[in-house]
Amino acid sequence: MSKLHRIGVSTAFALVAGLGFSGSALAGNPLDNVGVEHNAYLGCLMADGSQPPSLELLVTRCGYRPQGTVADFVRTYQPYMPTNPNLSYSQRIAPYASQFTPAEYAFVKRIEAALSPQAQSPEEIDRALAALETQALAQLGDKSPGARGILASLSTARHSLQFWTPYYIDRLEDSHAKLPKWLRVVIKVVATVATDAATGAILGSNPVTAVAAGPAAGAASGIVAGAL
């Protein structure tokens, strides 16, 4: 991991401590590295506001090394980059529903409930996701593609929540709103990248897809955030 990536990870952990989040690693999630990697690359992609986050920058600025050429990497992953921030978590997962067992897919619905637009605080969302993470480990394990998708999704959702909460509080704070705009935006972004992590883990039996699961999610979240 480069110095820039280490800074990104350190920043993520500092945000956890400062905002009272419980921290994904406490649940013992073996896929927690997906969320950590997501925040590290995302911190790099968002560091220069003059350039929109992109898959190209993931390689040229943030040190990601794809297996093939940069052009091949972009061509492979660009179709997976989200363009509609208004789809719910389950709507984004729907094309991959056949990859889950019924028990695994039940967690898709529960994750969507945790990411409800009616949530009153990021801490409330984090607690709900942490509880689901613990339950998923106990009930699903981490061996099947669907189970790994759920665990990767939960890790990325929690790390992404930690990253975007202070970012949007500073930009969209509205102390008079019953449901602050910044929290609604955070939920949309988290739902997007949590899906990216799930599908990346589900398709991980294909090495080409597995390689960029975390970085592609980081790039996607930056792009979606810029469009909101």
Side-chain angles (χ1 to χ4, degrees):
M1 183 178 285
S2 70
K3 179 180 179 182
L4 183 57
H5 299 169
R6 289 195 298 271
I7 291 172
V9 173
S10 298
T11 301
F13 288 143
L15 293 177
V16 174
L19 291 169
F21 291 111
S22 53
S24 220
L26 295 178
N29 184 347
L31 274 294
D32 194 59
N33 64 296
V34 178
V36 173
E37 180 181 322
H38 170 274
N39 272 22
Y41 281 106
L42 184 53
C44 170
L45 287 167
M46 299 299 288
D48 183 0
S50 65
Q51 292 181 289
S54 68
L55 289 169
E56 290 91 341
L57 287 180
L58 196 62
V59 177
T60 59
R61 187 170 75 199
C62 299
Y64 180 72
R65 294 292 176 262
Q67 287 183 324
T69 67
V70 176
D72 287 342
F73 171 67
V74 173
R75 185 164 48 250
T76 299
Y77 288 99
Q78 196 62 44
Y80 295 96
M81 302 294 274
T83 56
N84 183 355
N86 295 313
L87 294 178
S88 69
Y89 177 76
S90 65
Q91 287 172 322
R92 295 179 189 281
I93 289 285
Y96 306 94
S98 64
Q99 303 295 319
F100 296 91
T101 66
E104 291 163 354
Y105 199 76
F107 275 87
V108 171
K109 296 296 187 180
R110 295 168 72 184
I111 292 171
E112 177 160 278
L115 297 174
S116 168
Q118 302 306 310
Q120 300 299 305
S121 71
E123 291 82 7
E124 175 187 326
I125 297 171
D126 183 66
R127 287 192 297 271
L129 293 172
L132 288 176
E133 199 170 39
T134 300
Q135 292 162 16
L137 280 167
Q139 297 173 26
L140 305 179
D142 65 341
K143 303 306 181 186
S144 71
R148 291 178 67 81
I150 293 298
L151 292 174
S153 192
L154 284 163
S155 170
T156 304
R158 297 186 65 204
H159 282 287
S160 182
L161 179 70
Q162 293 156 10
F163 184 100
W164 290 114
T165 294
Y167 179 91
Y168 280 115
I169 284 177
D170 287 345
R171 289 160 176 79
L172 300 173
E173 178 62 42
D174 181 359
S175 60
H176 300 292
K178 183 176 181 181
L179 290 173
K181 181 179 179 180
W182 64 264
L183 184 55
R184 297 196 301 272
V185 171
V186 166
I187 290 170
K188 287 183 178 182
V189 175
V190 170
T192 299
V193 299
T195 309
D196 293 334
T199 55
I202 289 168
L203 300 175
S205 57
N206 177 347
V208 175
T209 307
V211 166
S221 60
I223 290 171
V224 171
L228 290 170

